[in-house]
Amino acid sequence: MRIEQIDLAVVRLPLVRPFQTSSSRKDHLDHILVRVLADGVEGWGECASPSDPFYCPETTETCWHILHDFLAPMTLGKPWESIEELVGLYRKVKGNGFARAGLETACWDALARSRGEPLHRLLGGTRTEVLSGVSLGIESSVEAVFANVDRFLAEGYRRIKLKIAPGWDVDVVRRVRERYPDVPLQVDANSAYTLDDVDVLKKLDDFDLLLIEQPLAHDDIIDHATLQAALRTPVCLDESIHSADDARKALDLNACRAINIKVSRVGGLLEARRIHDVCHARGVPVWCGGMHEFGVGRAANVAAASLPGYSLPGDVSGSDKYYHEDVVEPPILATNGAIAVFDGPGLGVEPVPDRIRKHTLRAATLRADG
Ligand code: OSB
Ligand code: MG
């Protein structure tokens, strides 16, 4: 294949309800949609970076810069036969996983479409549906959390994840656990604690949690190993894992017992699959995380989560949890807490150009040969 053209668009969608984590609060999201044209076939990807550097170092603006000034010039007009070869064209680019994921996913989509095959088949997915949980933000009261839990359990979602932060942790989790004794429950701290907080974190052992996600620093695996040794609850890493090598090292150190694989965070589907493979070979459960992706990135997440090792329900919920109107058709929805894996070619959903245009803040087109 050979990429003839890359279109970038910063697209802003309002959120159905604001989302608050230990580090930021959002009422709309700006993601970059990437469209490649390769051998006359279109492919779509999404760069779902937050606009601020509070989850990880990347932002929408750094993604635009890396895509526009490095990834596009390094790939336009260059031949590649496989995604491994494509990624080799920009191997020199360090980090910047969200930016890389946007372009890489678009190339997977184009490759799959050029072969008339669904993306999950190219990846080696085995599941026909993926199990879906919800991630619930920090609220102004526990009652507001109860209302969210009630609503999403009624919709059939399989597990609840609560965002926690210092001051919004043990009491909230206790009250949720008391009210829902049997619900599969886990928590996500987005790196808001340190080893000084080990006594607080140990109290969470009482609530039969599936796991505690990224309690310590975003770039740490050493302190997490110390913490895991002190906890019964499995630690799950999110922010700290960017590659299969990171996953191998974290598992060798016993820094975690589960990994949240985000296609967006790890540079795309190829590295997501490699992380899956490392974990699967060791019997370590993985699940598919999300960054509130629009339909393009969400469809890529569904394809990733169709791999056999995704044994835990993920954060990939129906897009109606976040958006009134998504940018793709058909909309991605969960039924009884599961999302069907799409069987159309490529991502299996079609971006709707008019909707994308309506919400575009900035756009650029880059072509091979200038
Ligand atoms: O840590 O998993 C996270 C959203 C934004 C930033 C970080 C995270 C999240 C989520 C939402 O938990 C997952 C989703 O529903 O897409
Ligand atoms: Mg997380």
Side-chain angles (χ1 to χ4, degrees), residues 55 135 161 163 188 190 213 238 262 290-292 315 322:
Y55 164 78
S135 171
K161 159 169 145 182
K163 292 288 184 181
D188 185 0
N190 288 112
E213 184 177 341
D238 172 351
K262 289 182 182 168
M291 293 299 297
H292 303 155
D315 278 350
Y322 293 116

Side-chain angles (χ1 to χ4, degrees), residues 2 5 7 35 40 61 76 81 94 100 117 122 128 143 150 170 190 226 232 257 259 305 329 332 340 353 355 361:
R2 184 180 165 276
Q5 181 176 320
D7 297 307
R35 174 181 172 272
E61 287 301 319
L76 276 166
E81 295 302 326
K94 307 293 193 296
R100 286 188 283 122
E117 282 200 61
L122 235 60
T128 54
E143 287 69 29
D150 286 344
V170 178
N190 288 112
T226 305
R232 283 197 311 275
R257 297 195 195 129
I259 291 183
E329 283 292 334
I332 299 173
R355 282 191 212 155
L361 303 179

Side-chain angles (χ1 to χ4, degrees), residues 26 28-31 48-54 58-61:
K26 299 277 162 37
H28 63 262
L29 295 174
D30 297 343
H31 290 177
S49 173
S51 52
D52 51 44
F54 305 154
E58 292 183 85
T59 70
T60 316
E61 287 301 319

Side-chain angles (χ1 to χ4, degrees), residues 9-11 29-33 46-49 291-294:
V10 179
V11 176
L29 295 174
D30 297 343
H31 290 177
I32 302 174
L33 291 184
E46 175 174 339
C47 186
S49 173
M291 293 299 297
H292 303 155
E293 281 84 354
F294 303 168

Side-chain angles (χ1 to χ4, degrees), residues 336-359:
N336 296 323
I339 299 179
V341 175
F342 319 106
D343 262 325
L347 291 170
V349 294
E350 295 300 326
V352 182
D354 280 352
R355 282 191 212 155
I356 293 173
R357 221 171 291 125
K358 186 169 84 185
H359 295 290

Side-chain angles (χ1 to χ4, degrees), residues 158-297:
R158 307 282 176 113
R159 70 100 170 101
I160 300 293
K161 159 169 145 182
L162 301 176
K163 292 288 184 181
I164 58 167
W168 181 268
D169 43 37
V170 178
D171 287 341
V172 177
V173 177
R174 175 180 296 114
R175 291 187 59 191
V176 170
R177 183 42 98 204
E178 277 167 10
R179 191 174 149 117
Y180 309 92
D182 302 322
V183 163
L185 187 65
Q186 63 194 53
V187 296
D188 185 0
N190 288 112
S191 69
Y193 298 87
T194 71
L195 282 182
D196 291 344
D197 303 309
V198 67
D199 291 339
V200 175
L201 296 168
K202 274 169 94 160
K203 291 192 184 136
L204 295 172
D205 270 343
D206 293 342
F207 306 122
D208 191 23
L209 301 178
L210 290 167
L211 52 89
I212 167 166
E213 184 177 341
Q214 197 73 33
L216 309 180
H218 74 100
D219 54 359
D220 168 78
I221 57 174
I222 307 288
D223 285 356
H224 278 100
T226 305
L227 178 67
Q228 179 66 91
L231 294 183
R232 283 197 311 275
T233 310
V235 169
C236 172
L237 291 176
D238 172 351
E239 283 90 328
S240 296
I241 305 297
H242 298 275
S243 66
D245 269 343
D246 287 351
R248 172 181 57 77
K249 293 171 193 172
L251 293 172
D252 281 351
L253 286 174
N254 294 315
C256 63
R257 297 195 195 129
I259 291 183
N260 165 352
I261 303 180
K262 289 182 182 168
V263 175
S264 289
R265 183 191 74 233
V266 305
L269 289 154
L270 187 63
E271 202 60 33
R273 185 173 65 189
R274 288 184 181 140
I275 298 172
H276 161 274
D277 292 349
V278 165
C279 294
H280 197 43
R282 299 178 183 220
V284 172
V286 302
W287 51 281
C288 189
M291 293 299 297
H292 303 155
E293 281 84 354
F294 303 168
V296 171

